[in-house]
Amino acid sequence: THTHTYTRTQTHTRTHTHTHTQTYLQFPNASATAAAAAAAAAAAAQLLPKIRKSVPINDAPLSQRNILTRAQILKEIGLKTSTVVTIKGKYYDEEALVNRKDTDEPPLSMEVMGTDQKQLEEADQAIQEIMNDTPLPDPRAISKQTGEGWMQRKVFIGLDVPLPGFSVIGKLLGPKGAYLKHITQTSM
C-alpha cells in the first residue's frame, strides 16, 4: 500500500489563506485494476453512438398505460434489453388529441435509447407485448355494474393494517395482473 499526501495552499487577494490537504491511498492489487477497467468501460460507453426510438402508448388501454408507466417496468425493460427507457409527453383523450396543436406537449410515448438497432427492436417488442396483453377490467366500471347475474361476496383476509411497504393491491393483482385476470375469467 502506498500513501500519497497532496497539500495545496491558496492565498487570495483578501487577507485569508486556505490550505487543502488530501491523502490518497493506492492499492496495487486486482481491485485497482478492476476499478480502472470499469472507468475505461464507462468512458467507452459515453463515446458509443446512441440511437433513439419513440414508441407511442397514448392509445393503449388504461390498464396497459398504467403498467407501462411504472418505474419498475421501465427498469425491467431497460435491463432486459440493455437500453434506457423513459416516458415522454402527456396523455390526451381522443377529443384532446384531435384538438392538440403542434406547440403542445407531444402525446404519451416511451422513448427507448440504445447503442444499436437490435436493442431498440427488443425493447419495442417488450413494450408491444405489454400493450397487446389482455386489458384488465377497470375496477370503477366493475363496481358500477349491478343487476342480475352479479353475485358479491366479501372475503375478509385479516389484514387490517398492512406492514409498511407491503402492497396489498399489488399482491391481489399479481404479476402483470395475472391473479385478477384469472379471477375475472373464471367467475364469469
Side-chain angles (χ1 to χ4, degrees):
T1 305
H2 303 286
T3 304
H4 299 284
T5 303
Y6 168 71
T7 304
R8 180 179 72 189
T9 303
Q10 286 182 321
T11 305
H12 296 284
T13 55
R14 297 188 182 121
T15 59
H16 60 277
T17 302
H18 296 282
T19 302
H20 302 280
T21 303
Q22 295 176 331
T23 302
Y24 300 97
L25 294 176
Q26 188 175 9
F27 298 97
N29 60 19
S31 65
T33 306
Q46 294 293 327
L47 299 175
L48 289 174
K50 295 191 177 30
I51 52 177
R52 298 170 191 258
K53 179 175 186 169
S54 181
V55 181
I57 60 169
N58 193 74
D59 296 333
L62 174 65
S63 59
Q64 269 65 9
R65 257 194 336 267
N66 288 341
I67 291 169
L68 286 168
T69 55
R70 291 182 188 154
Q72 184 62 34
I73 297 297
L74 299 176
K75 285 180 194 174
E76 286 176 14
I77 293 171
L79 288 173
K80 181 174 146 184
T81 61
S82 300
T83 58
V84 176
V85 184
T86 57
I87 300 296
K88 299 285 184 180
K90 76 173 200 174
Y91 172 73
Y92 291 95
D93 61 20
E94 288 181 34
E95 183 181 333
L97 191 59
V98 170
N99 297 326
R100 187 181 88 71
K101 299 178 183 126
D102 289 339
T103 56
D104 291 342
E105 193 171 357
L108 191 63
S109 66
M110 296 178 81
E111 184 178 75
V112 182
M113 186 169 61
T115 55
D116 65 48
Q117 194 64 34
K118 183 180 178 204
Q119 291 174 330
L120 299 184
E121 293 305 319
E122 288 173 358
D124 184 25
Q125 185 178 3
I127 293 166
Q128 295 301 328
E129 188 177 299
I130 294 171
M131 283 179 52
N132 296 331
D133 197 7
T134 305
L136 296 172
D138 185 352
R140 294 169 295 194
I142 290 176
S143 67
K144 291 177 185 173
Q145 292 175 343
T146 58
E148 295 181 31
W150 287 95
M151 182 172 56
Q152 293 182 359
R153 181 178 295 163
K154 291 184 181 181
V155 178
F156 295 97
I157 58 174
L159 196 64
D160 296 329
V161 180
L163 298 171
F166 181 79
S167 172
V168 175
I169 294 172
K171 297 296 181 190
L172 290 174
L173 286 175
K176 294 185 181 179
Y179 301 156
L180 181 60
K181 285 181 198 172
H182 174 74
I183 292 168
T184 304
Q185 290 169 353
T186 57
S187 63
M188 289 187 167

